[in-house]
Amino acid sequence: MGKKSNNRNTDSRQYYSGVNRSSKLSVMKVVARLLVLLAFVGVCVPALRADAYDAKPKLVVILVFDQFRGDYLDRYRADFKAKNGWNLFLNQGAHFTDCYYNYANLVTAAGHSTIGTGAYTDGHGIPLNEWYELGPGGKLRQVSSVEDDRYRLVGAPAGTKDLTGASPHREMATTLGDELVLATGGQARVYGVSMKDRAAILTSGHATRGAFWIDHETGTWETSTYWMTKLPAWAATSNESGRAAQARKESGAATGSFYENVGRAAASVSYQLDFAKALITGEELGQNPAGVTDMITISISSTDINGHAFGPDDPSQKALIVQSDALLDDFFGFLDKTIGLNNVMVAMTGDHGVATTQKSAEAAGMPALDFPPELITKPLEERLEAKYPLKGKGRYVLQMDNPYLLLNRQAFEAAGVSEEEAENTAKKMVMDIFASNMQESGKMQENDTPGTQRQMDPVAITHIYTTLQMREGALPDTQYGRLLANSYSPYVGWALHINFAPYQFPWRGMGTTHFTANSYDRHVPLELFGAAFVPGTYHGLVAPVDIAATFASLLRINRPSAAVGRVLNEAMRQEKAGSTGPN
Ligand SMILES: [Zn+2]
């Protein structure tokens, strides 16, 4: 790790360190305005330098809201009343209006891994939330992106049947947190928190001291023996405090799955933030005895749970986002009290956007349609079986796991069919199925909207590629080709990658989903807060992978192993000469 220096250049923060906090904040505001003004007139100003070796900042917070589309903050801005809620970013931070993921598999596990590693799926390997792999005895099994049967759950409620643990072992790149720990010789303390295991684990990374998520049924916080053999006292206390019961009461969901029923309410946002507060207090994050930067990743699952059920335009989703304003204000107020907001660097983003529901899109005049995945998988299985008879021994189509149609390699191999032939045959069959089912899907649409004058179009596939094409880079030199190249992962196996026309997708049940390369799924917020940034609204394309690149640059550490992001220099304060980082 870097040597601590006793004669650091005095910077603004040290200069004001003796002033009490409230006046310090207002003084900082004046200084910030002055700096913006000076930068504007082209005068070189002293730096508010960051570096991890000298605990500048003392704490890095990566805040993710799950399924949070890039238009929400501006859309609901008039309803944000708190000073340090969403306005911490909008009024005091760098607010980017055009942040888009540059890949084509917009799902939660991949998105969180992308935020953490600053790389896309071709870099970190995480393509989906679940996929298939060969288990013991060569038996095909479905696995989650983080499950790991070498470890056991810790803190799970008594009577939990499946105690299979979790770890980041499938994530094939380092995270910003990993690099922070490595750069400080293991002294930086990095943690991850979310209601979802994958969101807690993949964002924070491998060299972390802990990742915590909830038991879906009860809301109990748990972890895995990858990190520890028993919960820290503060976490056990949180579980025993009656906080889950309080969240149930606040949400009005007295019974049933905590994740599904409480999880969609604002009560679950404060439930997660309160646990993060307990962690920060319990582990004394931001007060590192070695004088280095600590880090926490927090992913709020609530917006995803409610968004899937009701869609982005439902009043309940707006209410959840507006209610989160006061809850964030409380959380950042806590950070101000314990660490000082001056000493905190925050990035906020989403792991993916989401599609307008079929109902809302149709009402707006779009040819929208969600349809059962069996519309593809059933006729495909029948056609493959007719061509390569398995005679009841297995099946060729594993699942439509959006955006992938997963094929059963073992079945094809048993029938003596190569990957190239299997994928190309399946691809042609899917295209034929769509051509012949056009009438049928068009009819479904009409029946769904009685009285509509507009003739509904059939479902359309915009792009379909085999994973062999993706693996070998046999993709067009177009934006879509590049998005797809970024989506390659060996974990997917034999498969097709399918993108549909806007607001048309396989989906079951009410609400909506996300996964496509269409812009509404790729658009997320990017908000930066901290002494290193010049507050303002920034237009122009940026990407969530830029967070890791930017923070690594400011912290003077290596960027994560597969990082591809750009340093967002346009939003940084200019640093003074001689500020070259640690010795
Ligand atoms: Zn998600």
Side-chain angles (χ1 to χ4, degrees), residues 413-574:
E413 283 182 340
V417 181
S418 71
E419 178 180 9
E420 188 174 12
E421 183 181 339
E423 290 179 352
N424 284 337
T425 303
K427 178 176 165 179
K428 179 154 190 325
M429 284 175 173
V430 168
M431 289 163 77
D432 289 345
I433 289 163
F434 268 78
S436 61
N437 279 4
M438 280 180 166
Q439 287 305 101
E440 197 187 324
S441 53
K443 230 186 294 166
M444 283 166 55
Q445 183 81 355
E446 269 187 284
N447 292 340
D448 282 344
T449 55
T452 299
Q453 294 298 309
R454 196 168 293 179
Q455 290 296 306
M456 287 302 164
D457 296 324
V459 175
I461 287 178
T462 62
H463 302 87
I464 179 166
Y465 286 90
T466 67
T467 53
L468 193 63
Q469 283 175 294
M470 292 171 70
R471 185 159 70 241
E472 297 189 341
L475 300 167
D477 184 19
T478 60
Q479 163 158 294
Y480 190 82
R482 290 185 286 279
L483 296 179
L484 207 51
N486 286 342
S487 296
Y488 174 71
S489 168
Y491 292 137
V492 171
W494 295 15
L496 303 176
H497 185 288
I498 307 177
N499 203 67
F500 299 90
Y503 308 106
Q504 303 181 357
F505 44 83
W507 182 241
R508 205 176 272 110
M510 64 186 291
T512 183
T513 194
H514 50 85
F515 69 87
T516 74
N518 301 331
S519 60
Y520 50 76
D521 284 342
R522 293 191 292 115
H523 189 197
V524 291
L526 199 167
E527 314 294 320
L528 303 175
F529 170 83
F533 304 109
V534 181
T537 297
Y538 295 84
H539 297 281
L541 279 179
V542 295
V545 291
D546 298 341
I547 295 170
T550 301
F551 278 22
S553 173
L554 285 165
L555 294 171
R556 289 349 198 231
I557 63 175
N558 293 324
R559 54 168 51 193
S561 60
V564 295
R566 185 174 69 79
V567 177
L568 297 168
N569 199 41
E570 66 271 30
M572 288 184 191
R573 294 191 195 287
Q574 195 178 347

Side-chain angles (χ1 to χ4, degrees), residues 66-67 107-108 112 196 304 351-352 514:
D66 202 310
Q67 191 191 121
V107 298
T108 295
H112 283 87
K196 300 183 184 186
D304 187 64
D351 58 335
H352 48 73
H514 50 85

Side-chain angles (χ1 to χ4, degrees), residues 117-173:
T117 64
Y120 290 110
T121 292
D122 66 323
H124 57 64
I126 306 294
L128 291 163
N129 295 329
E130 287 104 22
W131 57 85
Y132 291 82
E133 66 179 31
L134 294 181
K139 217 169 165 271
L140 196 70
R141 61 174 184 180
Q142 193 176 29
V143 293
S144 92
S145 57
V146 290
E147 77 176 70
D148 189 338
D149 50 23
R150 298 171 301 171
Y151 303 100
R152 315 297 287 166
L153 290 179
V154 173
T160 301
K161 283 198 192 102
D162 184 1
L163 286 171
T164 304
S167 83
H169 74 293
R170 292 186 180 84
E171 187 175 59
M172 297 190 282

Side-chain angles (χ1 to χ4, degrees), residues 269-290:
V269 177
S270 57
Y271 187 68
Q272 292 166 89
L273 291 174
D274 280 355
F275 187 79
K277 283 198 255 179
L279 193 164
I280 291 165
T281 304
E283 300 295 342
E284 299 183 322
L285 294 192
Q287 301 165 61
N288 195 304

Side-chain angles (χ1 to χ4, degrees), residues 13 101 293 299 362 379 445 450 526 554:
R13 280 172 297 176
Y101 281 92
T293 299
S299 174
E362 257 182 350
Q445 183 81 355
L526 199 167
L554 285 165

